[in-house]
Structure formats: structure tokens, C-alpha cells
Amino acid sequence: GVSGVDTINSTNSVATLTVTGLQETTDWGFSGVNDATVGLALTFATAAVTSGSTDTITGTLTGSIVGTVGITTAAANGFETLGLVSSGSTANTLTTLTQTTGTTLVTANISGTQALTLNVMPATLLTYNASTLTGALQLGTGTTTATYVTFATANLNNVTGGTGNDTFIFAATFDANDFDATTGETLNGGAGTDIMQASFGTTIGTGLHLSGI
């Protein structure tokens, strides 16, 4: 097994790195990667790694555009919180993050000074808190309505943007189960000039709560 490793960082990589047998919480990162086919696969070997109810794993992207990060835990009680740090001199993109076995990942806390784009995330992640992010947050990809690629909402509870100009691309996945104020949920864009793109049909609930958009 692998123990005593705090962080696994993929630097200037041209291929996906796979690490198995991890014996303790190990954070991850990318630096100087500019290839959406390059990812990272982490497998945690024992259920004890994520036996708590507040387990956190953190990924740091530094000037990188990356593909899939796969997190496999030994038990369904996996990590509960994902930390994401966006740094460097150029914008970052995480194309896909998956959790295998684990079903408990519910919150993403996003920080840093650089712009960050997220495209496909686990459906269990219902809260995104980027209140301390000073770069722009984009959920979904594309720069114009003609090129937007949807970020699946999966019945989002709470999203808080940062101080940058954030973009939330929900399209037809946006429905009455998202951001229901009657249960204390909200989409708060925060500071900056923020954009939400969605296809409003007949399923938008009366409890929809948006602010700062």
C-alpha cells in the first residue's frame, strides 16, 4: 500500500496517472497540464480512510486543463466534501470528476484566485460554495450560447458564486427541484456580473430562489 503521501501532483503530464493502494487521505493536483485527455485515478484501499462523516479530499489546479479525475473508495461511505483550489497564471478546467463506490460526496468548496470551469461532476454533489473564489466560476462549458455545453443540475440545493463574473449553464436540466427557497435553497451569484442560462419550461417551481444573477 501507499502511505505517508499528502498530495499527488501531476505536473506537465501527457498521460493519466493511476495510483492504487492509498492507505490514508491523499490530496491531488495538476500543474501545467493542457490536455483534456490527461487525468488522475486514485484508489483508496481501506474503508478506514473515509469512515468519518466529514472526510475531505482537495484538488488544486494550477494553470491546467485536465480530463477525468476518478476517486475510488473502499466503501460506500466515501468522502463527504470536495475542496477545489484554482490557481496559477491561466484559467483552469476540470472536465470530469467521478466517484466510484462512494456515494456520500455532497459539498464542493471552491477557492483560489484563478478562473475555474467545471463540466461533469457527481450527481450527489448538490452544494457548491465558491464564496472565497476571486476568479470566475463556470459550471458547464462554452463561451457563447451557441457553444454552451450543459452542466447537469441533478437537483442542486445551493450554489454560491465568487467575486468574479460567473456563468451557470443549466439548459433543460433546470427544473422545479433546483434551488427551492421553501427548503432554504438558493443560487447566489455573489459579486461580479453573473449569467445563468436555462431553458424555462412549465416545471419551474414557485419556490425558485435566485440572487446576485
Side-chain angles (χ1 to χ4, degrees):
V2 180
S3 61
V5 177
D6 294 328
T7 304
I8 294 173
N9 197 50
S10 179
T11 302
N12 300 326
S13 300
V14 295
T16 295
L17 174 65
T18 298
V19 181
T20 61
L22 292 165
Q23 303 292 316
E24 58 195 58
T25 298
T26 304
D27 294 327
W28 54 273
F30 292 90
S31 180
V33 176
N34 188 28
D35 188 339
T37 67
V38 173
L40 186 62
L42 303 178
T43 299
F44 295 86
T46 66
V49 176
T50 56
S51 60
S53 60
T54 58
D55 301 300
T56 299
I57 187 168
T58 298
T60 300
L61 281 76
T62 305
S64 292
I65 298 172
V66 303
T68 298
V69 173
I71 299 171
T72 301
T73 53
N77 181 22
F79 293 98
E80 284 76 34
T81 301
L82 170 69
L84 290 173
V85 181
S86 184
S87 64
S89 58
T90 58
N92 296 293
T93 297
L94 172 58
T95 303
T96 305
L97 187 135
T98 63
Q99 59 175 346
T100 304
T101 310
T103 60
T104 54
L105 193 62
V106 294
T107 300
N109 292 324
I110 304 168
S111 61
T113 58
Q114 188 53 260
L116 175 65
T117 295
L118 304 175
N119 193 10
V120 179
M121 303 293 281
T124 57
L125 265 176
L126 301 181
T127 295
Y128 293 80
N129 182 3
S131 58
T132 63
L133 178 70
T134 57
L137 174 65
Q138 180 160 317
L139 302 183
T141 62
T143 56
T144 67
T145 54
T147 61
Y148 279 164
V149 176
T150 303
F151 183 87
T153 60
N155 303 336
L156 287 172
N157 291 342
N158 292 284
V159 170
T160 303
T163 59
N165 299 329
D166 305 319
T167 304
F168 309 106
I169 305 168
F170 297 145
T173 69
F174 190 82
D175 59 28
N177 296 307
D178 298 304
F179 310 120
D180 186 354
T182 63
T183 56
E185 301 173 4
T186 186
L187 168 60
N188 183 347
T193 302
D194 305 313
I195 297 170
M196 185 188 78
Q197 185 271 340
S199 301
F200 289 94
T202 59
T203 59
I204 300 302
T206 57
L208 175 64
H209 188 200
L210 306 177
S211 65
I213 301 294

